[in-house]
Amino acid sequence: MTGYAVVARELPQGSLNLELRSVNNRYLDIQFRLPDELRLLEVTMREFLTARLSRGKIECRVSFSGITSTEDLQHINADLLQKLLELNRTVRAALPDAHGLEVADILRWPGMLRANSMPAESLREPCLELLGAALHELAAARAREGEKLKVILLERLSRMRSLTAEVAPRIPALLVAFQEKVKARLRDAMINCDDERIRQELTLFASKIDVDEELSRLQAHFEEVERVLRKGGAIGKRLDFLMQELNREANTVGSKSVDAEVSKISIELKVLIEQMREQVQNIE
Protein backbone atom coordinates (compact mmCIF):
# COMPACT_ATOMS: atom_id res chain seq x y z
CA MET A 1 0.00 0.00 0.00
CA THR A 2 1.24 3.48 -0.77
CA GLY A 3 2.42 5.76 1.97
CA TYR A 4 4.77 8.63 2.71
CA ALA A 5 6.49 9.90 5.82
CA VAL A 6 9.20 12.45 6.52
CA VAL A 7 10.82 13.17 9.87
CA ALA A 8 13.73 15.32 10.99
CA ARG A 9 15.78 15.79 14.12
CA GLU A 10 18.29 18.39 15.25
CA LEU A 11 21.39 16.84 16.79
CA PRO A 12 24.46 18.44 18.34
CA GLN A 13 26.36 17.30 15.26
CA GLY A 14 23.84 18.73 12.78
CA SER A 15 20.43 18.16 11.18
CA LEU A 16 19.29 14.63 10.29
CA ASN A 17 16.39 14.17 7.85
CA LEU A 18 14.76 10.91 6.82
CA GLU A 19 12.08 10.26 4.20
CA LEU A 20 10.17 7.02 3.56
CA ARG A 21 8.10 6.29 0.47
CA SER A 22 6.09 3.13 -0.06
CA VAL A 23 4.25 1.74 -3.06
CA ASN A 24 2.64 -1.64 -3.45
CA ASN A 25 4.79 -4.55 -4.49
CA ARG A 26 4.31 -8.31 -4.27
CA TYR A 27 7.63 -8.68 -2.45
CA LEU A 28 9.68 -6.50 -0.12
CA ASP A 29 12.05 -4.28 -2.11
CA ILE A 30 14.03 -1.69 -0.12
CA GLN A 31 16.15 0.98 -1.76
CA PHE A 32 18.34 3.47 0.08
CA ARG A 33 19.56 6.94 -0.86
CA LEU A 34 22.21 7.73 1.72
CA PRO A 35 25.06 10.26 1.90
CA ASP A 36 28.54 8.77 1.80
CA GLU A 37 29.14 9.35 5.52
CA LEU A 38 26.10 7.18 6.36
CA ARG A 39 26.63 4.44 3.80
CA LEU A 40 27.95 2.07 6.47
CA LEU A 41 24.55 2.19 8.21
CA GLU A 42 22.65 0.74 5.24
CA VAL A 43 22.91 -2.88 6.41
CA THR A 44 21.61 -2.01 9.89
CA MET A 45 18.76 0.09 8.51
CA ARG A 46 17.82 -2.61 6.01
CA GLU A 47 17.64 -5.21 8.79
CA PHE A 48 15.49 -2.78 10.83
CA LEU A 49 12.95 -2.38 7.99
CA THR A 50 12.98 -6.05 6.96
CA ALA A 51 12.04 -7.07 10.51
CA ARG A 52 9.00 -4.78 10.44
CA LEU A 53 7.70 -4.92 6.86
CA SER A 54 6.55 -7.89 4.80
CA ARG A 55 6.06 -6.44 1.32
CA GLY A 56 6.08 -3.23 -0.67
CA LYS A 57 8.62 -1.20 -2.60
CA ILE A 58 10.24 1.06 -0.01
CA GLU A 59 12.51 4.00 -0.71
CA CYS A 60 14.46 5.45 2.20
CA ARG A 61 16.26 8.78 1.78
CA VAL A 62 18.51 10.17 4.48
CA SER A 63 20.33 13.50 4.48
CA PHE A 64 22.64 14.94 7.09
CA SER A 65 23.74 18.57 7.34
CA GLY A 66 26.61 18.82 9.79
CA ILE A 67 27.28 21.92 11.86
CA THR A 68 30.56 23.41 10.72
CA SER A 69 32.62 25.19 13.36
CA THR A 70 35.72 27.31 12.97
CA GLU A 71 37.85 24.50 14.38
CA ASP A 72 36.50 22.11 11.80
CA LEU A 73 37.53 24.42 8.97
CA GLN A 74 41.21 24.63 9.96
CA HIS A 75 42.07 21.22 8.54
CA ILE A 76 43.96 22.02 5.38
CA ASN A 77 44.64 19.38 2.79
CA ALA A 78 48.43 19.37 3.15
CA ASP A 79 49.08 17.24 0.07
CA LEU A 80 46.93 19.48 -2.11
CA LEU A 81 48.59 22.60 -0.66
CA GLN A 82 52.08 21.26 -1.45
CA LYS A 83 51.15 20.45 -5.05
CA LEU A 84 49.53 23.86 -5.46
CA LEU A 85 52.65 25.63 -4.20
CA GLU A 86 54.88 23.63 -6.53
CA LEU A 87 52.65 24.56 -9.48
CA ASN A 88 52.71 28.18 -8.36
CA ARG A 89 56.56 28.18 -8.33
CA THR A 90 56.67 26.54 -11.76
CA VAL A 91 54.34 29.14 -13.24
CA ARG A 92 56.22 32.05 -11.59
CA ALA A 93 59.50 30.70 -12.94
CA ALA A 94 58.11 30.68 -16.48
CA LEU A 95 56.17 33.93 -16.07
CA PRO A 96 57.89 36.18 -13.50
CA ASP A 97 55.28 38.88 -13.90
CA ALA A 98 52.37 36.52 -13.24
CA HIS A 99 50.24 37.23 -10.22
CA GLY A 100 51.03 34.67 -7.49
CA LEU A 101 48.60 32.81 -5.29
CA GLU A 102 47.21 34.61 -2.27
CA VAL A 103 45.92 33.06 0.94
CA ALA A 104 42.30 33.65 -0.04
CA ASP A 105 42.91 31.89 -3.37
CA ILE A 106 44.36 28.88 -1.61
CA LEU A 107 41.56 28.64 0.96
CA ARG A 108 38.93 28.80 -1.77
CA TRP A 109 40.62 26.09 -3.82
CA PRO A 110 38.29 23.04 -4.18
CA GLY A 111 39.19 20.37 -1.66
CA MET A 112 41.66 22.53 0.26
CA LEU A 113 39.61 22.77 3.46
CA ARG A 114 38.41 19.53 4.99
CA ALA A 115 35.91 19.49 7.80
CA ASN A 116 36.11 16.79 10.43
CA SER A 117 34.22 13.80 9.10
CA MET A 118 31.32 12.68 11.23
CA PRO A 119 31.77 8.98 12.11
CA ALA A 120 28.75 6.94 10.98
CA GLU A 121 28.74 5.03 14.25
CA SER A 122 27.87 8.19 16.19
CA LEU A 123 24.72 8.56 14.04
CA ARG A 124 23.63 4.92 14.23
CA GLU A 125 21.21 5.31 17.14
CA PRO A 126 19.72 8.64 15.96
CA CYS A 127 19.20 7.15 12.49
CA LEU A 128 17.43 4.08 13.82
CA GLU A 129 15.27 6.18 16.15
CA LEU A 130 14.35 8.45 13.26
CA LEU A 131 13.66 5.43 11.04
CA GLY A 132 11.34 4.02 13.70
CA ALA A 133 9.46 7.31 13.91
CA ALA A 134 9.15 7.49 10.11
CA LEU A 135 7.94 3.91 9.99
CA HIS A 136 5.28 4.73 12.58
CA GLU A 137 4.07 7.67 10.48
CA LEU A 138 4.17 5.53 7.34
CA ALA A 139 2.05 2.85 9.01
CA ALA A 140 -0.47 5.49 10.11
CA ALA A 141 -0.66 6.91 6.58
CA ARG A 142 -1.15 3.45 5.11
CA ALA A 143 -3.81 2.68 7.71
CA ARG A 144 -5.74 5.83 6.74
CA GLU A 145 -5.53 4.88 3.10
CA GLY A 146 -6.61 1.35 3.97
CA GLU A 147 -9.75 2.64 5.69
CA LYS A 148 -10.68 4.71 2.66
CA LEU A 149 -10.05 1.75 0.38
CA LYS A 150 -12.17 -0.51 2.60
CA VAL A 151 -15.11 1.87 2.29
CA ILE A 152 -14.80 1.84 -1.51
CA LEU A 153 -14.58 -1.96 -1.65
CA LEU A 154 -17.60 -2.38 0.61
CA GLU A 155 -19.59 -0.01 -1.58
CA ARG A 156 -18.73 -2.07 -4.65
CA LEU A 157 -19.60 -5.22 -2.76
CA SER A 158 -23.02 -3.77 -1.90
CA ARG A 159 -23.62 -2.99 -5.57
CA MET A 160 -22.68 -6.55 -6.54
CA ARG A 161 -25.13 -7.93 -3.99
CA SER A 162 -27.89 -5.79 -5.48
CA LEU A 163 -27.06 -7.01 -8.99
CA THR A 164 -27.07 -10.70 -8.09
CA ALA A 165 -30.39 -10.26 -6.28
CA GLU A 166 -31.92 -9.27 -9.64
CA VAL A 167 -30.95 -12.51 -11.37
CA ALA A 168 -32.96 -15.20 -9.56
CA PRO A 169 -36.40 -13.52 -9.94
CA ARG A 170 -35.92 -13.46 -13.71
CA ILE A 171 -35.56 -17.24 -14.07
CA PRO A 172 -39.29 -18.18 -13.67
CA ALA A 173 -40.29 -15.66 -16.33
CA LEU A 174 -37.65 -17.10 -18.67
CA LEU A 175 -39.04 -20.61 -18.15
CA VAL A 176 -42.59 -19.46 -18.88
CA ALA A 177 -41.43 -17.68 -22.02
CA PHE A 178 -39.51 -20.76 -23.15
CA GLN A 179 -42.52 -23.00 -22.51
CA GLU A 180 -44.68 -20.81 -24.73
CA LYS A 181 -41.96 -20.81 -27.36
CA VAL A 182 -41.81 -24.62 -27.36
CA LYS A 183 -45.58 -24.87 -27.67
CA ALA A 184 -45.59 -22.44 -30.60
CA ARG A 185 -42.76 -24.30 -32.30
CA LEU A 186 -44.52 -27.63 -31.95
CA ARG A 187 -47.79 -26.20 -33.26
CA ASP A 188 -45.99 -24.68 -36.25
CA ALA A 189 -44.41 -28.04 -36.97
CA MET A 190 -47.82 -29.73 -36.81
CA ILE A 191 -46.64 -31.85 -33.92
CA ASN A 192 -48.93 -32.89 -31.11
CA CYS A 193 -48.26 -30.64 -28.13
CA ASP A 194 -48.28 -33.35 -25.51
CA ASP A 195 -47.39 -32.26 -22.01
CA GLU A 196 -44.59 -34.83 -21.64
CA ARG A 197 -42.64 -33.50 -24.60
CA ILE A 198 -43.03 -29.94 -23.34
CA ARG A 199 -42.01 -31.02 -19.85
CA GLN A 200 -38.82 -32.65 -21.16
CA GLU A 201 -37.88 -29.60 -23.17
CA LEU A 202 -38.59 -27.35 -20.22
CA THR A 203 -36.54 -29.52 -17.84
CA LEU A 204 -33.58 -29.49 -20.21
CA PHE A 205 -33.79 -25.73 -20.66
CA ALA A 206 -34.13 -25.14 -16.93
CA SER A 207 -30.98 -27.14 -16.23
CA LYS A 208 -29.04 -25.12 -18.79
CA ILE A 209 -29.98 -21.75 -17.33
CA ASP A 210 -29.97 -22.79 -13.66
CA VAL A 211 -27.60 -20.45 -11.80
CA ASP A 212 -28.72 -21.17 -8.23
CA GLU A 213 -25.35 -22.68 -7.31
CA GLU A 214 -23.44 -19.81 -8.85
CA LEU A 215 -25.59 -17.25 -7.04
CA SER A 216 -25.14 -19.11 -3.75
CA ARG A 217 -21.38 -19.21 -4.19
CA LEU A 218 -21.33 -15.53 -5.07
CA GLN A 219 -23.21 -14.72 -1.88
CA ALA A 220 -20.79 -16.87 0.13
CA HIS A 221 -17.83 -15.07 -1.44
CA PHE A 222 -19.44 -11.68 -0.74
CA GLU A 223 -19.73 -12.58 2.92
CA GLU A 224 -16.12 -13.77 3.04
CA VAL A 225 -14.84 -10.59 1.36
CA GLU A 226 -16.74 -8.48 3.88
CA ARG A 227 -15.46 -10.58 6.78
CA VAL A 228 -11.85 -10.26 5.60
CA LEU A 229 -12.15 -6.51 5.07
CA ARG A 230 -13.58 -5.91 8.52
CA LYS A 231 -10.98 -8.18 10.12
CA GLY A 232 -8.07 -6.24 8.57
CA GLY A 233 -4.41 -7.14 8.78
CA ALA A 234 -2.39 -8.66 5.93
CA ILE A 235 -5.35 -9.48 3.69
CA GLY A 236 -4.13 -8.69 0.17
CA LYS A 237 -3.46 -12.27 -0.96
CA ARG A 238 -6.73 -13.55 0.50
CA LEU A 239 -8.74 -10.83 -1.23
CA ASP A 240 -6.96 -11.42 -4.53
CA PHE A 241 -7.94 -15.10 -4.35
CA LEU A 242 -11.55 -14.18 -3.58
CA MET A 243 -11.62 -11.82 -6.57
CA GLN A 244 -10.61 -14.74 -8.79
CA GLU A 245 -13.42 -16.85 -7.36
CA LEU A 246 -15.97 -14.08 -7.82
CA ASN A 247 -14.88 -13.61 -11.41
CA ARG A 248 -15.24 -17.32 -12.10
CA GLU A 249 -18.84 -17.39 -10.84
CA ALA A 250 -19.76 -14.19 -12.69
CA ASN A 251 -18.40 -15.70 -15.91
CA THR A 252 -20.51 -18.82 -15.42
CA VAL A 253 -23.64 -16.75 -14.84
CA GLY A 254 -22.93 -14.95 -18.11
CA SER A 255 -22.26 -18.14 -20.05
CA LYS A 256 -25.59 -19.64 -18.92
CA SER A 257 -27.56 -16.51 -19.67
CA VAL A 258 -30.26 -16.51 -22.34
CA ASP A 259 -31.56 -13.16 -21.17
CA ALA A 260 -30.12 -9.79 -22.18
CA GLU A 261 -30.66 -8.36 -18.71
CA VAL A 262 -28.86 -11.24 -17.00
CA SER A 263 -25.99 -10.92 -19.50
CA LYS A 264 -25.80 -7.23 -18.70
CA ILE A 265 -25.70 -8.00 -14.98
CA SER A 266 -22.89 -10.52 -15.54
CA ILE A 267 -20.84 -7.93 -17.42
CA GLU A 268 -21.37 -5.30 -14.73
CA LEU A 269 -20.38 -7.80 -12.07
CA LYS A 270 -17.13 -8.54 -13.89
CA VAL A 271 -16.39 -4.83 -14.26
CA LEU A 272 -16.88 -4.30 -10.53
CA ILE A 273 -14.75 -7.34 -9.72
CA GLU A 274 -11.93 -6.11 -11.95
CA GLN A 275 -12.08 -2.69 -10.31
CA MET A 276 -11.92 -4.31 -6.90
CA ARG A 277 -9.06 -6.53 -7.98
CA GLU A 278 -7.01 -3.51 -9.07
CA GLN A 279 -7.65 -1.87 -5.73
CA VAL A 280 -6.88 -5.06 -3.81
CA GLN A 281 -3.41 -5.06 -5.36
CA ASN A 282 -2.67 -1.98 -3.22
CA ILE A 283 -3.38 -3.89 -0.02
CA GLU A 284 -0.79 -5.96 1.79
Side-chain angles (χ1 to χ4, degrees):
M1 190 174 295
T2 59
Y4 175 78
V6 58
V7 289
R9 181 171 298 175
E10 295 298 327
L11 305 171
Q13 307 96 319
S15 177
L16 188 62
N17 297 272
L18 189 145
E19 179 182 334
L20 276 183
R21 295 177 183 270
S22 169
V23 295
N24 187 60
N25 195 52
R26 181 171 295 183
Y27 308 104
L28 182 61
D29 178 15
I30 305 174
Q31 298 179 356
F32 287 92
R33 301 288 185 270
L34 304 177
D36 291 338
E37 60 264 32
L38 297 180
R39 185 62 60 185
L40 292 176
L41 299 181
E42 180 174 335
V43 174
T44 302
M45 296 174 73
R46 185 179 297 276
E47 291 175 350
F48 186 92
L49 290 175
T50 301
R52 291 160 176 79
L53 298 173
S54 58
R55 56 185 292 200
K57 186 173 182 178
I58 311 297
E59 181 179 305
C60 178
R61 291 178 178 269
V62 181
S63 63
F64 177 71
S65 301
I67 297 176
T68 304
S69 66
T70 304
E71 293 180 357
D72 292 332
L73 290 176
Q74 301 312 306
H75 290 76
I76 293 179
N77 188 333
D79 292 336
L80 179 58
L81 176 61
Q82 187 62 37
K83 291 178 181 179
L84 199 58
L85 292 175
E86 291 175 2
L87 289 172
N88 183 62
R89 285 193 293 270
T90 301
V91 172
R92 293 295 302 276
L95 301 170
D97 296 332
H99 179 68
L101 286 173
E102 296 182 355
V103 174
D105 298 325
I106 294 174
L107 293 178
R108 284 197 297 266
W109 198 269
M112 183 58 67
L113 294 177
R114 297 185 298 185
N116 288 331
S117 60
M118 178 63 59
E121 193 59 38
S122 67
L123 294 175
R124 179 185 299 273
E125 288 304 317
C127 270
L128 291 180
E129 291 175 4
L130 210 58
L131 187 58
L135 199 57
H136 180 75
E137 283 194 18
L138 184 69
R142 287 162 60 145
R144 289 191 296 270
E145 183 186 352
E147 285 300 314
K148 294 177 182 177
L149 189 55
K150 182 172 75 172
V151 171
I152 294 173
L153 292 174
L154 289 174
E155 287 175 352
R156 298 197 190 284
L157 196 64
S158 176
R159 173 59 181 158
M160 291 168 66
R161 279 194 167 114
S162 299
L163 287 170
T164 53
E166 297 176 18
V167 176
R170 300 190 64 84
I171 302 301
L174 292 174
L175 293 175
V176 171
F178 180 76
Q179 183 177 10
E180 294 301 319
K181 184 178 179 180
V182 170
K183 288 180 179 179
R185 190 169 67 237
L186 292 176
R187 282 196 300 268
D188 292 343
M190 308 286 292
I191 299 174
N192 182 32
C193 297
D194 68 80
D195 292 338
E196 181 61 24
R197 175 67 181 275
I198 294 174
R199 188 186 65 79
Q200 291 175 355
E201 292 280 352
L202 196 59
T203 300
L204 181 61
F205 178 74
S207 66
K208 287 181 179 179
I209 68 170
D210 182 23
V211 290
D212 281 349
E213 289 188 14
E214 287 76 11
L215 294 178
S216 296
R217 283 194 289 268
L218 280 170
Q219 291 299 329
H221 295 329
F222 293 158
E223 292 175 5
E224 180 63 10
V225 169
E226 186 172 2
R227 185 192 70 80
V228 171
L229 283 172
R230 298 197 185 283
K231 177 182 177 183
I235 59 177
K237 291 182 179 179
R238 178 61 179 166
L239 287 177
D240 186 63
F241 169 76
L242 288 169
M243 293 305 109
Q244 296 178 45
E245 295 300 304
L246 285 170
N247 193 62
R248 182 179 293 110
E249 302 304 333
N251 273 329
T252 305
V253 170
S255 66
K256 288 186 174 183
S257 174
V258 293
D259 177 56
E261 191 61 31
V262 173
S263 297
K264 181 180 177 182
I265 289 172
S266 172
I267 293 172
E268 191 169 349
L269 282 172
K270 288 190 286 186
V271 169
L272 288 167
I273 293 167
E274 183 59 29
Q275 290 173 346
M276 291 179 70
R277 191 170 186 178
E278 291 177 358
Q279 291 163 329
V280 162
Q281 291 175 354
N282 292 324
I283 300 178
E284 286 193 357

